[in-house]
């Protein structure tokens, strides 16, 4: 009597019927989700201290990191403040925009695909 493996390899099942071939288990390849950059844009009205506070609060930056990013925004007009999955980036943008509005600042935050 042949083993199950021999039957599978020969293309026959246990009843001697011809099978289409060997069944191989393949591990599906998972694709990493796309990442999104969260950006802060410069404006002429939002105080620098407020931008630093937003960076510390919503992006877990130290005061020194937040200050450096704020200066980049101030000098270049825009800066990447984090890279996240779509859902997290979207949430961060919404949180910053809502917080800025509640404090009556025109600070703009957006996201784009990396």
């Amino acid at each position: 009597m042949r083993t199950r493996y021999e039957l599978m390899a020969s293309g026959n099942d246990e009843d001697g019927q011809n099978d289409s071939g060997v069944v191989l288990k393949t591990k599906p390849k998972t694709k990493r989700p796309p990442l999104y950059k969260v950006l802060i844009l410069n404006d002429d009205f939002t105080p620098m201290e407020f931008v630093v506070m937003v960076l510390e609060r919503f992006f877990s930056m130290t005061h020194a990191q937040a200050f450096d990013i704020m200066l980049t925004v101030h000098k270049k007009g825009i800066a990447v403040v984090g890279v996240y999955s779509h859902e997290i980036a979207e949430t961060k943008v919404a949180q910053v925009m809502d917080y800025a509005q509640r404090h009556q600042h025109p600070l703009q935050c957006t996201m784009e695909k990396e």
Side-chain angles (χ1 to χ4, degrees), residues 37-47 50-51 54-55 59 69 73 77-81 92-101 104-111:
K37 297 185 282 190
V38 176
L39 307 146
I40 295 277
L41 287 75
N42 189 37
D43 65 73
D44 294 332
F45 304 102
T46 304
F50 184 79
V51 175
V54 164
L55 295 170
F59 299 96
I69 295 288
V73 172
I78 192 167
V80 175
V81 295
K92 298 261 185 203
V93 168
Q95 288 173 329
V96 170
M97 295 295 290
D98 180 57
Y99 191 73
Q101 261 186 338
Q104 299 176 351
H105 293 299
L107 182 65
Q108 293 296 301
C109 184
T110 187
M111 62 188 260

Side-chain angles (χ1 to χ4, degrees), residues 52 55 61-74 79:
V52 170
L55 295 170
M61 293 184 185
T62 65
H63 185 75
Q65 291 169 324
F67 191 81
D68 287 344
I69 295 288
M70 177 275 299
L71 284 179
T72 302
V73 172
H74 182 70

Side-chain angles (χ1 to χ4, degrees), residues 2-12 22:
R2 295 187 336 188
T3 67
R4 183 164 180 77
Y5 176 76
E6 289 171 328
L7 290 170
M8 287 176 63
S10 69
N12 295 323
V22 176

